[in-house]
Amino acid sequence: MRSTKLLVGALVGAVISASVMADASVATVNGVAIPQSKVDLIVKQLADRGQKDSPELRDRIKQQLVTNEVLYQDAVKKGVDKSADVQAQLDAAKQQIVVSTYVNNFVKANPVSDADVQKEYDRVIKANFAGKEYHARHILVKTEAEANDILAQLKKGKKFEDLAKAKSIDTQSGAQGGDLGWSSPNNFVPEFSAAMTKLTKGQISAAPVKTQFGYHIIKLDDVRDAKAPPLDQVKGEISQQLERAKVEKMISDLRAKATVQ
């Protein structure tokens, strides 16, 4: 069923796009030729979605094209193509195809360079991976009284991880014994970061730390120099982000020039 939907979608695109140049036909329906180039176009569109080209695939496409042509001819005889609803859908589909092609052409004409990627990588690294990374745990509760009670239990020898699992309202980290993993202080709210970065390895905050989320008891497991992922690991992601930014700027510039009422 999914393959059929893809075929139908590709056929709609083929019908609305520019006229197919004269070439060998794969079949004729009531004297109307179905050109080889239509099959080739659909094969390419399906291949872009990961489907492998094969004689069986091409035969299925041919049969679908024949079926569509039979249906199309009868629909035209009955005037279906003249209805306002069909015309509106055709106009919308045509606009979408033209816009999509325009954007793809823009991307090809304005590629992201290796120098652009390197510059963005350096900027991100400087902003997010300078200084230290902290491996912290926390127990989050609603009231200061609850937080002080947890501190008292810790002083009596209760394990931090067990109390986090039992008491923390941050259930995601609580299930992991309060573990927040390795992170930059910039990823936490200022009050939390300030308290965390004052701790030494293995130390627990002496008093509850109040933030917008409630009251935290923080434990620092470890500290290390911030380590950035290698460029090769994030190059593709950065390139896509820069490509999106170029497209968004192009669209923004065009909208700014347009008269919209």
Side-chain angles (χ1 to χ4, degrees):
M1 179 63 74
R2 183 173 181 272
S3 295
T4 301
K5 288 182 178 179
L6 288 174
L7 286 173
V8 172
L11 288 167
V12 171
V15 170
I16 297 173
S17 60
S19 298
V20 180
M21 294 188 299
D23 56 20
S25 61
V26 294
T28 59
V29 179
N30 297 323
V32 177
I34 298 176
Q36 177 67 49
S37 55
K38 270 193 178 182
V39 175
D40 294 339
L41 173 62
I42 297 168
V43 167
K44 182 180 181 302
Q45 290 173 336
L46 294 176
D48 290 342
R49 297 182 177 96
Q51 194 154 342
K52 187 177 180 180
D53 188 0
S54 68
E56 293 77 18
L57 173 64
R58 287 178 175 271
D59 185 63
R60 290 202 305 273
I61 293 170
K62 172 186 170 181
Q63 297 307 321
Q64 186 66 53
L65 284 168
V66 169
T67 298
N68 271 33
E69 184 62 33
V70 169
L71 292 169
Y72 178 74
Q73 289 181 19
D74 198 56
V76 170
K77 285 180 183 178
K78 292 179 167 69
V80 174
D81 60 320
K82 299 297 193 296
S83 76
D85 183 56
V86 169
Q87 289 298 319
Q89 291 183 58
L90 286 171
D91 288 344
K94 179 180 178 180
Q95 184 183 60
Q96 186 57 49
I97 291 169
V98 171
V99 167
S100 178
T101 302
Y102 177 81
V103 171
N104 288 337
N105 290 344
F106 173 84
V107 169
K108 290 176 183 177
N110 298 273
V112 174
S113 68
D114 288 343
D116 292 334
V117 173
Q118 183 68 59
K119 182 179 179 181
E120 180 65 7
Y121 175 79
D122 293 340
R123 185 191 70 79
V124 171
I125 295 307
K126 183 177 180 181
N128 297 287
F129 293 96
K132 302 289 184 180
E133 285 183 324
Y134 294 78
H135 186 184
R137 296 175 183 270
H138 81 143
I139 302 170
L140 176 63
V141 292
K142 291 182 178 180
T143 67
E144 187 174 14
E146 290 176 284
N148 283 324
D149 179 63
I150 289 170
L151 281 173
Q153 292 185 60
L154 288 168
K155 290 177 182 178
K156 292 177 181 178
K158 289 278 190 179
K159 290 185 66 174
F160 191 98
E161 292 80 354
D162 292 340
L163 287 171
K165 291 177 181 178
K167 303 288 187 179
S168 183
I169 59 174
D170 178 2
T171 54
Q172 184 174 356
S173 69
Q176 307 300 320
D179 194 355
L180 295 170
W182 287 99
S183 189
S184 164
N186 295 333
N187 293 330
F188 299 107
V189 292
E191 303 92 335
F192 190 99
S193 295
M196 178 184 69
T197 54
K198 290 176 183 176
L199 300 174
T200 57
K201 183 177 176 179
Q203 188 179 8
I204 296 173
S205 54
V209 178
K210 186 178 185 302
T211 71
Q212 66 200 67
F213 304 106
Y215 291 83
H216 308 256
I217 305 300
I218 305 170
K219 179 183 178 183
L220 182 63
D221 281 355
D222 207 351
V223 184
R224 69 183 182 190
D225 290 331
K227 185 178 180 181
L231 175 59
D232 288 346
Q233 185 177 321
V234 295
K235 184 176 181 179
E237 182 181 349
I238 292 175
S239 182
Q240 289 176 2
Q241 290 173 350
L242 292 176
E243 185 178 282
R244 284 196 296 270
K246 282 176 177 280
V247 171
E248 288 170 3
K249 184 179 184 306
M250 177 269 289
I251 293 172
S252 177
D253 289 345
L254 288 174
R255 284 183 62 92
K257 294 176 185 175
T259 301
V260 181
Q261 297 178 329

